[in-house]
Amino acid sequence: MQEVPVPSFQDDSSVNANANIDELKRTFSTGKTKAYQWRIEQLKALKQMLEENSKEITTSLHSDLGKSDTEAWLSEIGYSIGTIKEKLQNLKSWMKPTKVSTPMLAQPGKSYIINEPLGVALIIGAWNYPFQLVVTPLIAAIAAGNCVVIKPSELAEATSALLAKLVPKYLDNTAFKVVEGGKDETTELLSKAFDKYFYTGGEHVGRIVMMAAAKHLAPVTLELGGKSPCIVDGATNLEVAVRRIVWGKWMNAGQTCVAPDYILIEEEYLADFSQRLIAEIKKQYGTKVAENKDYGKIINQRHCSRLINYLDGLNIIHGGKHNLDERFIEPTVVVQPATNSALMQEEIFGPILPIVTFKTKQQMLDFVTSRPKPLAAYVFTSNGKFEAEVIEQVSAGTICINDTNIFMVNHNLPFGGVGTSGMGQYHGKSGFDTFSHKKSVMKRSFKFDAAIRYAPFSKLKLMLLKKF
Ligand code: NAD
């Protein structure tokens, strides 16, 4: 049979998946990645990579997504450096075995749990935070002592190429590889046996990744998306609420997995809320947004057309201007779209914010709970009873009260979805756990060996066993 060549993304970075993975498996089997010192050295080298190349990283993010210097620092470079610092501070204590008690029947004995690295992990990233979404899981995988193949998103071309250039310069080449490419290269990688599959992206490919992991019975983490609702109780502090909503929604031109996807509000507050929201958009981004360097671009023309098509026939109360060649869409607010419209059925993942109204708070809650479980759910309220009802009734990856995306900066909160918004978590200690196997160890003493569990059995032995 004629061999079909695997297409390569760049001439100098052919997939060569077998060779890469075999080398990483050999490295892992030497045991060197398990050493505390090696992990610390790799984390420090990665930090140095970020610090020494922050300008180049910012330029690539600007080229891919029109990210401003501030956003590039806040959500990608500075965020990743903060993640490394937090791992450096805590790694020693996380690596310590955890002692647990031992039941009477196994006495005298000791029991404890060791965090063991899983082996060779595959990390597949998405395009919207193209640097951070591969680097922060990589940080967790290094901390847990794994080797990694990194597959950045091909849609963020400049950042993918930069990662492929920088990682080999700073990290241990026998333990980390960057593979560039798109669907074909990812499919090729997914056919290989990894010890862990970690994927960030959409639901459709999430299913493909899970099926690939199932073939090897390997653990999988899926960081997916969905429609994150934002419930506004109009009787709350609307001045601060709209400021935080505008920040969370239009950061990265709305291309944030946890951005508020749509607003739910009681009818009587619609006019006041909309006016304040529009005034705040103008305050943060001005009236000539197309010229504003702080406002991002859509990743490509395909996604830009997808978003523009959403707007057909809708009641736009602010924005709506767009330029396909420039991959630009103004911050746009839409009121009362039909709940069966594409805008209200699909994850928007762009700078359009629909507002839907309801008569009562319970109706807003019913609307949210009747839909797939979101990655994040937001509620702005000063009403303690309503806040408690939202926390109790809404199942979501994270619930944030009186703010939007800011919860992402808290390393103490595990991050991940539930239901169709994903499975598994990372950030902080949960990232270390995600890339570790909890190996249980029990050690018995030879000193005392009660005959009670050994045959021949008797009524007395059974009675004593039941007591224990
Ligand atoms: P994408 O197009 O960059 O795809 C993600 C990865 O999947 C890429 O590396 C790509 O090469 C690979 N891929 C694409 N098609 C494939 C196929 N057929 N087979 C195998 N691999 C394939 O990103 P996307 O899917 O457009 O991502 C957007 C989604 O990601 C949104 O739903 C968003 O909410 C979600 N997201 C989630 C998080 C999170 O942390 N939970 C973060 C960012 C984005």
Side-chain angles (χ1 to χ4, degrees), residues 30-100:
T30 65
K32 81 168 175 181
T33 69
K34 291 183 179 173
Y36 170 75
Q37 202 48 42
W38 181 88
R39 302 185 199 189
I40 292 289
E41 279 163 17
Q42 296 307 305
L43 289 171
K44 285 185 175 165
L46 192 56
K47 185 163 163 280
Q48 194 184 348
M49 177 184 115
L50 286 152
E51 285 163 352
E52 289 181 357
N53 299 281
S54 75
K55 255 199 173 156
E56 228 185 318
I57 300 167
T58 306
T59 307
S60 70
L61 292 168
H62 186 76
S63 153
D64 287 330
L65 287 145
K67 269 190 206 200
S68 66
D69 293 4
T70 309
E71 274 196 21
W73 177 261
L74 186 71
S75 61
E76 305 247 19
I77 306 163
Y79 183 77
S80 302
I81 292 174
T83 303
I84 297 175
K85 284 185 181 162
E86 172 255 339
K87 297 285 185 291
L88 290 172
Q89 272 165 14
N90 294 297
L91 188 56
K92 198 165 244 167
S93 76
W94 293 346
M95 283 177 72
K96 281 191 186 141
T98 314
K99 278 187 198 158
V100 293

Side-chain angles (χ1 to χ4, degrees), residues 124-125 127-128 151 153-154 186 200-202 223-225 257 347 415:
I124 304 173
W127 51 262
N128 57 330
K151 216 302 284 169
S153 175
E154 72 281 13
T186 315
T200 303
E223 293 288 339
L224 310 179
C257 56
E347 179 183 356
F415 173 67

Side-chain angles (χ1 to χ4, degrees), residues 382-396:
S382 309
N383 175 334
K385 185 171 165 280
F386 184 52
E387 174 189 319
E389 280 168 3
V390 173
I391 296 171
E392 166 70 21
Q393 293 180 36
V394 176
S395 178

Side-chain angles (χ1 to χ4, degrees), residues 8 17 19-20 91 103 118 136 147 233-234 321 327 331 350 360:
S8 73
N20 276 337
L91 188 56
L118 289 169
T136 51
C147 295
D233 167 358
K321 287 199 201 102
R327 297 183 277 132
T360 65

Side-chain angles (χ1 to χ4, degrees), residues 301-350:
Q301 292 199 345
R302 177 170 64 83
H303 275 285
C304 202
S305 305
R306 172 184 69 81
L307 290 160
I308 293 165
N309 287 340
Y310 279 150
L311 297 175
D312 253 7
L314 294 183
N315 183 5
I316 298 172
I317 59 163
H318 180 76
K321 287 199 201 102
H322 49 80
N323 181 335
L324 194 56
D325 291 335
E326 296 289 326
R327 297 183 277 132
F328 167 78
I329 300 178
E330 233 181 338
T332 299
V333 183
V334 167
V335 287
Q336 310 291 34
T339 48
N340 62 0
S341 62
L343 191 73
M344 286 305 292
Q345 290 294 321
E346 294 160 14
E347 179 183 356
I348 298 170
F349 217 47

